[in-house]
Amino acid sequence: MPLLERLRAAARDGMLVAGHRGASADHPENTATALRVAAAAGAQFVEFDVHQTKDGAWVVLHDAALDRTTDAVARHGREKVQVTELTLAEIQSLDAGSWFGPAFAGARVPTLAEALAAATPAVPMVERKGGDAESLAAELRGLGMLERVVVQSFDWPWLQQFHRAAPQVVVGALGSGELDAERLAALPSTGAGFLHWDHRTLTVAAAAAVQRGGYLLGVYTVDAELGMVGAARLGCDFVTTNRPAAALALRMQGWLSRPVSAEATARPLGSSGR
């Protein structure tokens, strides 16, 4: 069964859980440790962000600048040190854990390959923050991961490019603000199989429209238990959270069960390539 349909089937047993940058409430985000902890807790997805370095390598970081989550400012003597300014070796020489707490001193910025391994056995949810679409497709192809990951982005034109380069990969369209008719109409052109929206702005009507279109629906970033339960009641297929263990506990207790109507409104995917 293709990955998208496996995820759809799994969501019938309860809304799925994605660890946001790993288990980032208690560990430094986007580090191998944070990703491993989320996967070990049983998260169905482990989400992380990727950029491309000066020498074209793929590394796991949220920000375009290294200042917030590494010691790059101290090491380079200036602020706003960009990922694209440094080589892979230079970035992996940085400390990516001390900012979070002394117990994590010495943590390194993972490569994409290292992050994929750390996320096992969860489905890696790769969010592109920077970098070339064809290069990411080639990297995932070389790692044998095209049919084992999902790739998402806020940049919908980039998603179109990536989908053309790697049509086997399940693609997700990220967004925030009003999910209006114009944005819904643009969704098929991205090749997306799922929509991942800001929970603060997703309306009941927009959620129903997404479900009628046959897309999987997820919301980010939800840490309050009431918000998680509300997302499940809305029929969301997955929730992204900094607290994956807490969300998984709710799922085990039955609190993240989805209404029958969510299954009834979602029609099978067509032949659009999603």
Side-chain angles (χ1 to χ4, degrees):
M1 183 187 298
L3 177 57
L4 189 66
E5 294 310 313
R6 293 205 307 271
L7 295 170
R8 190 187 303 279
R12 296 190 183 107
D13 294 329
M15 186 172 65
L16 306 179
V17 175
H20 183 237
R21 308 178 199 170
S24 58
D26 304 309
H27 301 80
E29 65 181 59
N30 281 326
T31 58
T33 297
L35 305 183
R36 279 195 295 267
V37 169
Q44 289 83 17
F45 297 100
V46 173
E47 186 267 357
F48 55 85
D49 308 287
V50 295
H51 284 271
Q52 242 178 326
T53 65
K54 180 180 179 179
D55 50 350
W58 287 93
V59 291
V60 178
L61 282 155
H62 178 270
D63 303 350
L66 292 151
D67 303 29
R68 182 174 64 86
T69 58
T70 77
D71 62 346
V73 172
R75 294 282 296 276
H76 290 267
R78 60 185 175 89
E79 296 182 345
K80 298 182 180 178
V81 181
Q82 303 294 303
V83 176
T84 53
E85 295 179 53
L86 302 183
T87 65
L88 173 61
E90 289 170 326
I91 288 175
Q92 289 210 298
S93 73
L94 300 173
D95 183 330
S98 291
W99 69 274
F100 195 85
F104 301 102
R108 301 302 175 199
V109 174
T111 64
L112 173 57
E114 290 167 345
L116 294 171
T120 303
V123 174
M125 180 180 281
V126 182
E127 180 175 340
R128 177 265 184 180
K129 290 296 188 184
D132 177 70
E134 292 188 0
S135 175
L136 181 56
E139 184 78 2
L140 291 171
R141 184 176 296 109
L143 294 169
M145 294 295 291
L146 289 179
E147 297 180 0
R148 298 167 58 190
V149 302
V150 300
V151 171
Q152 62 179 2
S153 178
F154 283 95
D155 185 341
W156 291 17
W158 184 93
L159 283 176
Q160 294 175 353
Q161 297 171 24
F162 180 82
H163 181 61
R164 287 195 295 269
Q168 313 96 309
V169 178
V170 175
V171 169
L174 279 157
S176 63
E178 183 184 2
L179 181 52
D180 57 18
E182 182 178 356
R183 299 205 77 182
L184 284 168
L187 190 54
S189 68
T190 66
F194 68 90
L195 184 73
H196 198 176
W197 209 259
D198 186 342
H199 77 284
R200 297 169 297 181
T201 56
L202 182 66
T203 65
V204 172
V210 172
Q211 292 158 350
R212 286 195 299 271
Y215 300 94
L216 294 187
L217 175 62
V219 287
Y220 70 87
T221 302
V222 186
D223 287 342
E225 291 187 353
L226 188 61
M228 297 175 191
V229 173
R233 183 67 186 89
L234 196 61
C236 291
D237 297 282
F238 66 92
V239 62
T240 300
T241 176
N242 297 310
R243 303 173 61 230
L248 290 159
L250 289 177
R251 191 176 191 267
M252 288 288 292
Q253 296 161 14
W255 287 106
L256 301 190
S257 297
R258 299 159 65 244
V260 174
S261 60
E263 290 296 326
T265 56
R267 68 169 186 256
L269 293 176
S271 57
S272 65
R274 295 197 301 272

